[in-house]
Amino acid sequence: MADLFADDPPPSSKGDAAPSEDAPLADRLRPQSLGEIIGQDHLTGEDGAIGRMVAAGKLSSIILWGPPGTGKTSMARLLADSVGMRYEAVSAVFTGVADLKKAFAAAETARKAGQRTLLFVDEIHRFNRAQQDGFLPFVERGTVTLVGATTENPSFELNAALLSRAQVLILHRLDARALGELLTRAEALEGPLPLTDAARSALIASADGDGRFLLNQAETLYAAKIDAPLDPASLGQFLQRRVAVYDKDREGHYNLISALHKAVRGSDPQAALYYLARMITAGEEPLFLARRLVRMAVEDIGLADPQALQQCLAAKDAYQFLGSPEGELALAQACLYLATAPKSNAAYKAQKAAWNSAKETGSLMPPMNIVNAPTKLMKDVGYGEGYTYDHDAQGGFSGDNYWPAEMEPQTFYEPVERGFERKVRERIAYWDKLRTERQS
């Protein structure tokens, strides 16, 4: 890959021109220094990773990971300015091999002239693995200092070799205070927004942590030339709410299903219902959620409440019968049942332990008294000999040994002192006592 990037003549260095007066509001409000970046003080402050790099005057390659509209592009541009580096920007969405060859060639020419280059790669996760490997020789030789930006988890989307040569810095979703500061800057430039205080708060909430989206919404309000301030209801009719960030096959999906499962396990019905709602309103497949609820029933509740599994299967059937949105109520009911049920992972642990034991012990023969004897020959050699029919034994319990001769009896299932398993625990203890007495 390195050879592909080495031959073309270098293009002229690209720089950011000042935005024109008719540029989008978000462009006109781009910060002019790292100190003006909002909501990322943990990185840009004196004690932050970027603050320390700038103070030292030397940058290492970094990956900026964070949600949309949190300042990744502005941070990269201002980093280059702060340490006097040449700035080159490409987007993985629009950039091909030829463009990268030119960028690396230009950086090599600049390096020979004593100028370092910061190469900013937006949406770096969209490059495939081979393309990502192509950056390595240029990063190692110091031809470029790579700054990549991604909204996806680098652990899943970037090569290990590339990650080992870059520091991952996490940008936070913008909170209400940071978004409010953005609106204040917009109003200093464009004038007061036509909103009541309550509508202003609603506008901030609707942005879902995305500063760019918030400024685009504000620009729409300015362009409409609204005479009287809008209240929250009028604002909701005038503007669309930002769709929550949620990709069914990416990190957002796994984060939310993990949160739902752990809230159920932690017996918090309110939080569990919230995460269920988050996933359904974001477009998650309801039958996927039904399957996960069934898993929670057998993994985290088990025999502490045997009805939990039936509730989940009934909810699945109800959803398939009713469809959406009515069937979603059945899923919510099952979710609440699980979250409020007594918890036990005893069956889950027992299953894992028994499976491991079965793999380790291989093909051990069960004791002869409990093996099948369908033929006369098998009976003649002792198959089934000495078997006690438990229903005929005193108390319906023979106390026989059911383990292979080469194997000591094992304890896989240990019921907890909660819910229905308390009674199961008492039964097992009673049978263990009888077995010991009768076998002795």
Side-chain angles (χ1 to χ4, degrees), residues 369-370 386-402 431 434-440:
N369 64 314
I370 62 170
Y387 172 63
T388 304
Y389 187 55
D390 282 79
H391 294 291
D392 293 339
Q394 181 182 356
F397 180 80
S398 67
D400 280 355
N401 174 51
Y402 298 103
W431 288 327
L434 286 182
R435 182 173 289 112
T436 300
E437 291 174 353
R438 294 184 183 182
Q439 289 181 356
S440 64

Side-chain angles (χ1 to χ4, degrees), residues 41-58:
D41 294 346
H42 65 292
L43 297 179
T44 59
E46 290 184 3
D47 295 329
I50 286 176
R52 292 196 299 270
M53 288 183 194
V54 171
K58 185 175 181 180

